[in-house]
């Protein structure tokens, strides 16, 4: 019989976890003729009772495995450690807050079993229940990155997906420190089937993402998967060099040859401000790539384990 592993990143999910476990357990019972379940909960440095809740579950249910980090490393790190350690033939990633409907799991499993796909991914078609500006910026982000990057990122794509072993091995082989899962899944390729569903509200607790964190995550995604911004800064620099050369020639002809009264403090200062603004922007873009490179070069571990119950 095949083994289905479910990876659940958890950061302060003491309220949601028991509900999640109950729901996923129902699915495991309804699928028990098809496959064995394994749960791998990643406690991402929770400061509440999450780890104890998981430990209680693991006492009652031998299929429950866990890894607990020494501090909060972020969902990307949690997913990575899970993918690295799971033993299943089929591997799913699911949030603890039931925003990834467990009832889809059986359908996903059947697709991998009976159809010619390596992975089944999900996307939400609505962003209901999400702050309006968050949805707005999310949409702009996907438009922007898809224009710039060769890999295709799907708007509304969740990290909720079911993969065959081969896909997981490929994902784990990308050991970069600045991880952007959506991009990585797209990068590794394989035949993917997309399922769509309406956005579901979190069952308990609160979202762990502030607007600022999401913004940084978006920049991370862009820097990780395209170098087009560097070319933009190059083109801007090029255009401004040409424009200023023409202006200089114009000024020269005007003042030296025709003896006209040129300039004015206002004109000059606004040009200086404009050009130096563009320069700062370009240096900023450069710096973003450089800093990411700096972090990669340090070769720091993606996560640090404090304890686990894996053998
Ligand atoms: N999560 C995590 N580490 C973090 C932040 C979040 O492991 O630093 C987990 C969280 O417990 C949940 C999942 O990632 O299971 C998705 O988080 P959340 O629901 O806060 O994000 P949203 O659904 O609002 O995008
Ligand atoms: Mg959520």
């Amino acid at each position: 019989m095949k083994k289905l592993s479910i990876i659940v990143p958890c950061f302060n999910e003491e309220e949601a976890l028991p509900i999640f476990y109950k729901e996923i357990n129902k699915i495991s019972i309804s699928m028990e003729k098809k496959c064995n379940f394994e749960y791998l909960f990643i406690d991402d440095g929770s400061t509440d009772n999450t780890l104890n809740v998981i430990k209680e579950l693991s006492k009652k249910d031998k299929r429950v495995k866990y890894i607990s980090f020494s501090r909060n490393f972020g969902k990307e790190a949690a997913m990575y450690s899970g993918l690295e350690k799971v033993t299943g033939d089929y591997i799913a990633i699911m949030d603890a807050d039931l925003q990834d409907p467990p009832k889809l799991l059986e359908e996903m499993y059947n697709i991998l079993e009976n159809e010619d796909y390596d992975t089944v991914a999900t996307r939400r078609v609505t962003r209901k229940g999400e702050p309006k500006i968050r949805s707005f910026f999310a949409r702009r982000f996907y438009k922007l990155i898809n224009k710039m990057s060769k890999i295709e990122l799907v708007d509304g794509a969740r990290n909720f997906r079911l993969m065959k072993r081969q896909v997981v091995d490929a994902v784990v082989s990308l050991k970069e420190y600045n991880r952007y899962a959506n991009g990585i899944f797209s990068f590794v390729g394989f035949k993917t089937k997309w399922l769509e569903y309406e956005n579901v509200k979190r069952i308990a607790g609160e979202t762990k993402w502030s607007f600022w964190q999401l913004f940084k995550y978006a920049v991370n995604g862009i820097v990780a998967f395209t170098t087009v911004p560097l070319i933009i800064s190059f083109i801007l620099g090029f255009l401004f060099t040409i424009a200023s050369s023409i202006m200089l020639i114009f000024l020269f002809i005007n003042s030296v040859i025709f003896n006209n009264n040129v300039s004015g403090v206002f004109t000059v200062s606004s040009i200086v401000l404009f050009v130096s603004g563009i320069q700062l922007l370009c240096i900023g873009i450069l710096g973003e790539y450089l800093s990411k490179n700096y972090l990669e070069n340090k070769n720091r571990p993606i996560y640090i384990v404090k304890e686990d119950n894996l053998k």
Side-chain angles (χ1 to χ4, degrees), residues 9 11 13 44 72 75 95-97 99 202 207-209:
F11 177 53
E13 300 284 10
D44 183 14
N72 180 244
K75 188 184 177 186
D95 286 1
D97 57 8
Q99 281 191 298
R202 169 181 257 288
T207 176
K208 310 295 181 297
W209 294 86

Side-chain angles (χ1 to χ4, degrees), residues 12-21 96-98 202-205:
N12 293 346
E13 300 284 10
E14 60 177 6
E15 286 168 63
L17 264 180
I19 314 172
F20 172 81
Y21 176 77
D97 57 8
L98 287 177
R202 169 181 257 288
I203 193 85

Side-chain angles (χ1 to χ4, degrees), residues 106-130:
E106 187 156 8
E107 187 183 341
M108 293 160 94
Y109 183 87
N110 291 340
I111 291 170
L112 285 197
E113 276 284 273
N114 305 321
E115 294 174 39
D116 184 27
Y117 287 102
D118 304 301
T119 163
V120 184
T122 59
R123 65 181 286 257
R124 39 181 194 172
V125 279
T126 55
R127 288 177 174 274
K128 250 189 281 161
E130 201 185 65

Side-chain angles (χ1 to χ4, degrees), residues 27-56:
I27 306 294
S28 86
I29 292 167
S30 86
M31 287 173 74
E32 71 189 348
K33 294 227 165 58
K34 292 181 182 165
C35 57
N36 294 317
F37 270 56
E38 169 193 65
Y39 307 112
L40 179 50
F41 292 95
I42 320 291
D43 166 38
D44 183 14
S46 299
T47 49
D48 66 357
N49 223 5
T50 299
L51 182 57
N52 287 329
V53 174
I54 299 174
K55 280 181 176 167
E56 283 306 312

